[in-house]
Amino acid sequence: SDLGSQKERVVTEEEWLQKWEMGNIGFHKEQGHPLLQKYLDVLLNGRSGLRIFFPLCGKAVEMKWLADMGHSIVGVEISEQAVKEFFSEHSLPYCEEPVPEISGAKMFQSTSGNISLYCCSIYDLSSSVVGKFDGVWDRGGLVAVNPRDRQRYASLMINLVEKNSSYLLVTVSYDPNKHKGPPFYVPESEIQSLFG
Ligand code: SAH
């Protein structure tokens, strides 16, 4: 298959937590992603005050950027360290509370209320907990999901978006037989079959 040797590979949640602890986070960029700037109009589609979802958010600076534009941001991230670093690096005061529907999960919310980051596995979320979204910025989300979990991830994402939503997805095109990552190769044909 054109997935090469990646198809069976798994990165565990524990390994992700370790990457954060070791500062092994080459995927994090201090500058906003140029493709978000380029396709912002597609995401917004003339609308304002959107609810925008960041799956597998890390401490993506684009969350602050879109929040400052008046949108309300919801992210999900397994690493509590990442979530706390996001708020502290942007000097944003926040509060922390349990999520009654998800055991062990916490929600970190900026005091201003417009950025809410769930610290749990994305697979624990559902629209009954987080509602539905008008837009999605998926950079480092689908491509970080273990290939065996892609179908589950895509079904969840389809469930979390409103009818007239826009979903911006960043993938990286390369020969998976020559390179190991970043983290997983998602061929265009698979995006078609996952999302239609
Ligand atoms: N979107 C971010 C981070 C991409 S790296 C960015 O653009 O910088 C992928 C992130 O997903 C990591 O921070 C990792 O800790 C987190 N992660 C991995 N599996 C997860 C899961 N099942 N649920 C929630 N977060 C997860």
Side-chain angles (χ1 to χ4, degrees):
S1 107
D2 61 357
L3 276 177
S5 58
Q6 294 189 1
K7 207 174 171 176
E8 314 297 330
R9 237 179 74 213
V10 170
V11 180
T12 63
E13 290 180 5
E14 202 47 53
E15 287 174 280
W16 281 111
L17 297 181
Q18 271 165 21
K19 284 181 203 283
W20 279 99
E21 272 167 41
M22 308 288 288
N24 189 3
I25 52 163
F27 52 82
H28 176 71
K29 301 291 174 219
E30 294 295 334
Q31 299 298 317
H33 202 291
L35 289 174
L36 180 54
Q37 289 168 31
K38 181 167 175 191
Y39 292 103
L40 184 63
D41 291 349
V42 177
L43 181 65
L44 302 183
N45 196 14
R47 303 166 298 172
S48 55
L50 302 188
R51 294 193 79 224
I52 301 178
F53 185 48
F54 279 63
L56 281 59
C57 61
K59 52 175 181 175
V61 298
E62 294 84 1
M63 298 194 282
K64 173 76 166 51
W65 192 57
L66 288 169
D68 286 346
M69 286 169 56
H71 304 291
S72 119
I73 307 302
V74 174
V76 61
E77 168 57 52
I78 196 81
S79 163
E80 182 166 332
Q81 181 186 340
V83 169
K84 287 183 168 166
E85 285 180 12
F86 171 79
F87 288 113
S88 65
E89 287 172 14
H90 295 282
S91 309
L92 290 170
Y94 64 93
C95 54
E96 172 181 338
E97 53 187 64
V99 183
E101 300 91 337
I102 309 172
S103 99
K106 285 187 208 167
M107 199 264 274
F108 294 77
Q109 188 172 55
S110 60
T111 308
S112 51
N114 56 352
I115 304 179
S116 305
L117 305 185
Y118 286 81
C119 186
C120 60
S121 170
I122 187 165
Y123 304 113
D124 293 332
L125 292 185
S126 63
S127 57
S128 63
V129 180
V130 290
K132 295 210 182 218
F133 299 99
D134 309 300
V136 178
W137 171 246
D138 184 335
R139 182 270 175 184
L142 177 65
V143 298
V145 162
N146 292 318
R148 64 172 190 195
D149 297 324
R150 278 180 190 161
Q151 186 62 60
R152 185 177 177 202
Y153 177 88
S155 306
L156 172 63
M157 294 304 291
I158 289 167
N159 239 279
L160 290 181
V161 295
E162 299 278 8
K163 272 249 160 337
N164 291 314
S165 55
S166 322
Y167 189 132
L168 294 187
L169 170 67
V170 183
T171 62
V172 185
S173 181
Y174 59 92
D175 181 345
N177 294 301
K178 294 196 178 132
H179 306 277
K180 260 186 78 190
F184 295 106
Y185 174 64
V186 187
E188 177 98 40
S189 59
E190 189 156 353
I191 297 167
Q192 285 298 329
S193 68
L194 288 171
F195 294 99

